[in-house]
């Protein structure tokens, strides 16, 4: 911080404001690796992280062939229609996390917020993908295609609500070791795809 003050990037008032909002994190000298892997809440976070990543990566991998085989989307349109569903995730993630914070500020219990946001982020996409099973194969310009595209965008985007749910649990479980906890779980989750 003092380097930023000396370089003129931050004023004394800005540094004081940042430091007044910080909580003091006491970290032991060694990382409690054994406690991580004996913690049932942490192991459940790893499990849901893996399952969520698996579902998402499965969609990403098969989306181009879905568009091609079911709706005869041309190769020139393939990239656009395959990327479009993913654009909503950061938007919904920000909105979902903000909504979760708002609920917490209204004294809704942390457990209720995490469970509710996780349920919304997992069940809403599942319902959307179930709706896709009712879409009839046709050419890319038919109404069923546009409905399928809308449902796919909605389904993938609603995954972003998980940010206010289970994806924030690492911070709740071990704020001093959140980087270790999330890194391990994210690495394990990435093995799904």
């Amino acid at each position: 911080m003092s380097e930023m003050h000396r370089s003129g990037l931050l004023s004394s008032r800005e540094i004081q404001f940042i430091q007044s909002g910080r909580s003091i994190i006491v970290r032991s000298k060694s990382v409690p690796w054994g406690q991580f892997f004996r913690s049932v809440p942490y192991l459940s976070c790893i499990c849901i992280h893996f399952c969520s990543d698996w579902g998402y990566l499965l969609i990403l991998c098969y989306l181009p062939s879905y568009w091609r085989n079911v709706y005869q989307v041309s190769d020139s349109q393939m990239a656009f229609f395959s990327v479009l569903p993913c654009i909503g995730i950061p938007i919904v993630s920000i909105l979902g996390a903000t909504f979760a914070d708002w609920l917490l500020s209204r004294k809704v219990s942390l457990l209720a917020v995490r469970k509710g946001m996780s349920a919304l982020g997992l069940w809403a996409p599942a319902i959307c993908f179930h709706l896709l099973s009712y879409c009839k194969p046709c050419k890319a310009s038919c109404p069923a295609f546009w409905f399928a595209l809308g449902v796919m965008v909605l389904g993938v985007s609603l995954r972003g609500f998980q940010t206010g749910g289970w994806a924030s649990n690492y911070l709740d479980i071990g704020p001093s070791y959140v980087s270790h906890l999330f890194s391990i779980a994210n690495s394990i989750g990435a093995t799904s795809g």
Side-chain angles (χ1 to χ4, degrees):
M1 250 342 149
S2 61
E3 282 183 34
M4 295 184 85
H5 177 64
R6 276 186 256 129
S7 65
L9 294 173
L10 292 174
S11 68
S12 299
R13 195 169 142 206
E14 290 170 323
I15 290 175
Q16 186 179 21
F17 175 75
I18 291 169
Q19 290 175 338
S20 69
R22 280 188 174 170
S23 60
I24 298 173
I25 295 175
V26 179
R27 186 180 288 186
S28 64
K29 294 186 182 191
S30 64
V31 177
W33 299 106
Q35 285 181 337
F36 290 171
F37 294 104
R38 288 190 303 270
S39 167
V40 174
Y42 179 60
L43 294 175
S44 67
C45 283
I46 290 175
C47 181
I48 196 162
H49 200 136
F50 179 88
C51 294
S52 177
D53 282 1
W54 179 66
Y56 178 62
L57 294 172
L58 189 70
I59 291 165
L60 287 182
C61 290
Y62 286 102
L63 201 52
S65 61
Y66 174 75
W67 293 133
R68 180 178 293 120
N69 296 334
V70 178
Y71 296 106
Q72 294 87 39
V73 172
S74 68
D75 289 340
S76 61
Q77 296 173 315
M78 187 70 61
F80 176 73
F81 290 130
S82 295
V83 170
L84 189 61
C86 303
I87 292 174
I89 293 175
I91 296 164
V92 175
S93 292
I94 292 167
L95 293 174
T98 303
F99 181 61
D101 285 344
W102 180 80
L103 289 172
L104 291 171
S105 74
R106 299 283 182 208
K107 305 296 184 216
V108 177
S109 76
L110 181 66
L111 185 63
V113 170
R114 295 293 184 248
K115 283 183 176 184
M117 297 303 286
S118 293
L120 185 60
L122 294 167
W123 280 103
I127 291 167
C128 289
F129 298 135
H130 177 71
L131 289 174
L132 286 175
S133 68
Y134 295 105
C135 294
K136 303 277 189 240
C138 63
K139 296 278 185 198
S141 59
C142 73
F145 167 74
W146 295 110
F147 177 78
L149 180 64
V151 168
M152 184 70 76
V153 169
L154 187 64
V156 173
S157 297
L158 290 176
R159 181 184 184 274
F161 279 110
Q162 296 174 23
T163 304
W166 66 263
S168 299
N169 280 344
Y170 302 107
L171 190 57
D172 301 333
I173 291 171
S176 297
Y177 302 103
V178 70
S179 59
H180 296 87
L181 296 170
F182 186 81
S183 298
I184 293 165
N186 200 41
S187 298
I188 292 170
T191 64
S192 64

